[in-house]
Amino acid sequence: MKHRAVLAGCGGISCAWIEAVAQFDDVELVGLVDLNEASIAEKIERYGLTPSAVGADLASVIGKVDADLVFDCTVPEAHVSIVTTALDAGCNVMGEKPMADTIEHALTMVETARRTGKIYAVMQNRRYNPEIRRYRELIGSGSIGNLTTLNADFYIGAHFGGFRDRMSHVLLLDMAIHSFDEARYISDADPLRVYCHEWNPAGSWYADGASAVCIFEMTGGVVFTYRGSWCAEGLNTSWECEWRAVGENGGAVWDGAGSIRGERNVGNDGFTRPVAPVELPPRRE
């Protein structure tokens, strides 16, 4: 079966989806939707696309091309409208994070998917990074003992322009959601309770919430902490954060790129006990 897909939202992030679709023989991009006609025209010209229908109204385009799949690449506040319209039209939906701009909208989208019996999947690509999988395997191997604490630092001075500059809770909704999912994956634990302090520092070029500190109580007694900012100039971390895992018998760090290191306790004497490097799992693509 060849899926007939409509792309909703032709901004910058849509390029990654268009390029990905081109690698699959069982998906055909038959429609483009955006409020800005110039954005549609630019994507058609850049990628040599030949959609059967384009326009600003998703329901109309879906009907014209008999689509069964919608890619939601719109801004966060539009997700609820795009997703529910697509699901009610009989399409499965794959979308960008964050899932929604409010919990009420998220619940509406989940209920619509359940009612229609269609799939709504939200992209979380960090889990497929070879290094995060290696880091998770190291922690899960037991070489540092049972995990007790996981820390993540994210500091990047990102000058996007556009909707993010005006977005409420910009760091938490549009970026930290990646880090929170990374934490669930690395720790193999789920959040139970959270304390969060969000603020917009002096000098921020964002309208709201460019920095945050969070403490999560996770299942299994694990505590996860997150410190982040999207208006931190200099000494930038990777986009995947810098990580430190503390186990009962050692620790492991990952710089979010290619450097993973771990040490474990190998003796019972001394003010700080002797340690030795842990063996790293092989890298797998």
Side-chain angles (χ1 to χ4, degrees), residues 155-167:
Y155 292 100
I156 289 182
H159 295 262
F160 291 102
F163 75 92
R164 289 181 181 87
D165 284 4
R166 304 181 299 274
M167 184 177 170

Side-chain angles (χ1 to χ4, degrees), residues 116-135:
T116 60
K118 294 299 178 180
I119 294 172
Y120 172 43
V122 181
M123 182 278 297
Q124 283 291 8
N125 59 346
R126 262 54 173 188
R127 290 181 176 229
Y128 300 95
N129 178 306
E131 294 305 319
I132 196 174
R133 297 169 77 86
R134 193 181 187 200
Y135 189 55

Side-chain angles (χ1 to χ4, degrees), residues 97 124-127 132 150-156 171-187 214 216 218 224-230 237-243 254:
K97 56 76 204 163
Q124 283 291 8
N125 59 346
R126 262 54 173 188
R127 290 181 176 229
I132 196 174
L150 186 63
N151 301 326
D153 282 342
F154 176 87
Y155 292 100
I156 289 182
L171 178 71
L172 291 174
L173 280 178
D174 202 59
M175 186 64 222
I177 187 62
H178 276 305
S179 307
F180 300 158
D181 188 65
E182 285 179 277
R184 292 177 61 233
Y185 180 69
I186 291 168
S187 66
C214 309
F216 289 83
M218 311 284 282
F224 164 57
T225 70
Y226 170 86
R227 303 183 301 180
S229 177
W230 242 352
T237 65
S238 81
W239 285 90
E240 279 67 47
C241 296
E242 292 179 351
W243 295 83
W254 173 43

Side-chain angles (χ1 to χ4, degrees), residues 32 34 74 76 83 88 112 123 153 158 160 168 215 219 227 245 266 283:
L32 299 178
D34 200 286
T74 61
V83 171
D88 280 329
T112 305
M123 182 278 297
D153 282 342
F160 291 102
S168 298
I215 303 172
T219 53
R227 303 183 301 180
V266 292
R283 190 179 190 274

